[in-house]
Amino acid sequence: MTMTDLTQSPAWLKLQEHYSTIKDVQMRELFAEDPQRFNKFSITMPETLLLDYSKNRITDETMTLLCALARQSNIEQWRDKMFSGKAINITEHRSVLHNALRNCADTPVIVDGQDVMPNIKAVLAHIRRFSDQVHSGEWRGYNGKKITTIVNIGIGGSDLGPHLVCESMKAFAQEGLKAHFVSNVDATHLVETLKNIEPETTLFVIASKTFTTQETMLNAHSARSWFLEQVGDESAIEKHFVAVTTNIELAKEFGINEANMFEFWDWVGGRYSLWSSIGLSIALYLGMDHFEALLEGAYEMDQHFQKTPLEENIPVIMALLGVWYNNFFDAKSYGIMPYSQYLDRLPDYLQQLDMESNGKTTDRNNKRIHYSTGAVIWGKPGTNGQHAFFQLLHQGTQLIPADFIMPIESENSLEEHQEVLFSNCLAQTEAFMKGKTIDEVIAEMKQQGCTEETIEAIAPHKVFEGNKPTNTLLFQRLTPKTLGSLLAMYEHKVFVQGIIWNINSFDQWGVEYGKVLAGQILQDLSKTDPVNNHDASTNGLIDFFKS
Ligand code: G6Q
């Protein structure tokens, strides 16, 4: 049997059968039956994080069957292939080695007969040297002033990762430094950023794996023109523009001094690249020690993922639960609810990680898939979400599983705030699980002295069906290290799901297609005659724009 027959495979068929027996079981009954449910369905990674997955629609049998699905998919063998540098990105013939970037053990990792670790260490040393120089003032702007502002120009994988880390780690930032991220080709993004900064104290980091991405190149050229307009001296450029790229030649053509280029390699996918020199902005904004702590945290999660049995393996369990809801309960979207304002950008980051990796319809045997793959990932920090879209999660018709993520201690202690935040977080997951029955609503309304008439009219609206699954992830503090572990955990979750769905999580032909089409339309915009080489809608819109 090939993996194309996933839905006919023994483990899948058993899950299908099991689903019909469990689909109407209420979690509140499962909790009532088993006082040990929290202990049974939670995993602690010492000094890192706690995953409580007891508020899921699962029993012992569900987890046994899900782990059997993971084994049937050869998760462990695929994981080992990834870590050892096999070219598992089959459509681009590439290894997938973002893990090597945080390989704190320094064990060799061989690609095409060569150990990649010495090059990784050399680039890390370069990042340390450079960021230290910027912080100490050894590196200064063209007129001798200290750098106070970092502007990262990049998009997608060259923006979302470093942007998330810098935003979430504000409490650890170097004193006197500000970081900005410009990604959108809408001039507004660059112009509004430039309004608040001075060229003489600004360092632009041009972050692009290919150094060909239209938006980044245009933003970089416009930033360069702005800089030259104000400074008027080409030789000043090299003090204010550095590049992070795999394409040294194109970066040189842009005018960046080779000594100020930070290399990475084609075996680092864009959305997996924050651990590479794409993290330069992180090292600049937070300092190299914090960047290394981030790598260490990720390394610890890599170790956990590699060494822990599937049944106790945090990313594996999270992946399996995601498959359980996506493929058996038909849950098409998945919520990420950080109870930490610092993690405001986490849903955006995970959106790319998950949706670009697993938004696929062709399997690894080149066949069209007929089961559901990646879910729609979305979310916002609590408690704000509670006053907005949570209503649909509580009483809407769709099933939307969600992760609730929270540090126990805050980096900003104001009396009572953290307790209020935590009680809200727990109140939501408890309410999602328990719901409220019609009998409970009636009893409550009677106690409040409502009339029979009011009860009849209002009670049905106050019923919560409950049985909505959530995971809770807790850690002591949101530090570079815990953030590293958290992000690596989601990377491995996405990896495991991709293996189960038998897809290549590491290409992104949809993104490439958009890049090509935009280039063609841009050419049409410069033609004076009406265009007729597209569909009627696209032709009409192009002509309307030109007119
Ligand atoms: C990520 C994607 C995509 C990519 C951007 C930027 O996995 O491939 O988001 O990161 O398109 O590409 P460059 O870094 O090459 O500019």
Side-chain angles (χ1 to χ4, degrees), residues 99-100 102-108 117 121 299 303 306-307:
N99 312 293
R102 57 218 192 193
N103 172 15
C104 298
D106 260 349
T107 42
M117 289 312 297
K121 296 286 158 192
Y299 173 71
Q303 293 285 298
Q306 284 183 284
K307 295 190 174 153

Side-chain angles (χ1 to χ4, degrees), residues 124 127-128 131-132 135 172 174 282-297 480-481:
L124 283 174
I127 297 177
R128 177 175 280 284
S131 53
D132 283 355
H135 299 148
F172 297 84
Q174 290 284 314
I282 301 173
L284 285 165
Y285 184 55
L286 303 181
M288 190 63 185
D289 289 351
H290 288 318
F291 184 50
E292 283 184 349
L294 183 87
L295 300 180
E296 260 170 51
K481 197 164 169 201

Side-chain angles (χ1 to χ4, degrees), residues 127-197:
I127 297 177
R128 177 175 280 284
R129 244 183 354 261
F130 181 69
S131 53
D132 283 355
Q133 281 174 349
V134 169
H135 299 148
S136 68
E138 197 182 320
W139 181 282
R140 286 176 185 261
Y142 72 96
N143 61 1
K145 290 216 172 135
K146 240 185 125 171
I147 299 296
T148 58
T149 308
I150 312 295
V151 180
N152 188 90
I153 299 185
I155 195 164
S158 301
D159 167 74
L160 289 159
H163 198 172
L164 161 73
V165 176
C166 289
E167 281 291 318
S168 349
M169 292 292 113
K170 264 187 182 153
F172 297 84
Q174 290 284 314
E175 234 184 276
L177 262 186
K178 285 206 165 66
H180 301 277
F181 287 80
V182 175
S183 52
N184 200 337
V185 75
D186 180 344
T188 308
H189 206 173
L190 182 64
V191 170
E192 287 296 336
T193 306
L194 296 179
K195 272 183 191 166
N196 303 315
I197 65 180

Side-chain angles (χ1 to χ4, degrees), residues 83 85 95-111 114-129 262-268 272-278 288 291-292 295 302:
F83 276 88
S95 307
V96 173
L97 275 179
H98 47 278
N99 312 293
L101 300 164
R102 57 218 192 193
N103 172 15
C104 298
D106 260 349
T107 42
V109 180
I110 309 295
V111 179
Q114 265 208 318
D115 181 9
V116 296
M117 289 312 297
N119 281 339
I120 292 174
K121 296 286 158 192
V123 172
L124 283 174
H126 187 192
I127 297 177
R128 177 175 280 284
R129 244 183 354 261
F262 298 81
E263 200 192 352
F264 67 114
W265 306 275
D266 68 3
W267 39 260
V268 184
Y272 299 89
S273 65
L274 74 91
W275 322 100
S276 72
S277 50
I278 287 289
M288 190 63 185
F291 184 50
E292 283 184 349
L295 300 180
D302 293 344

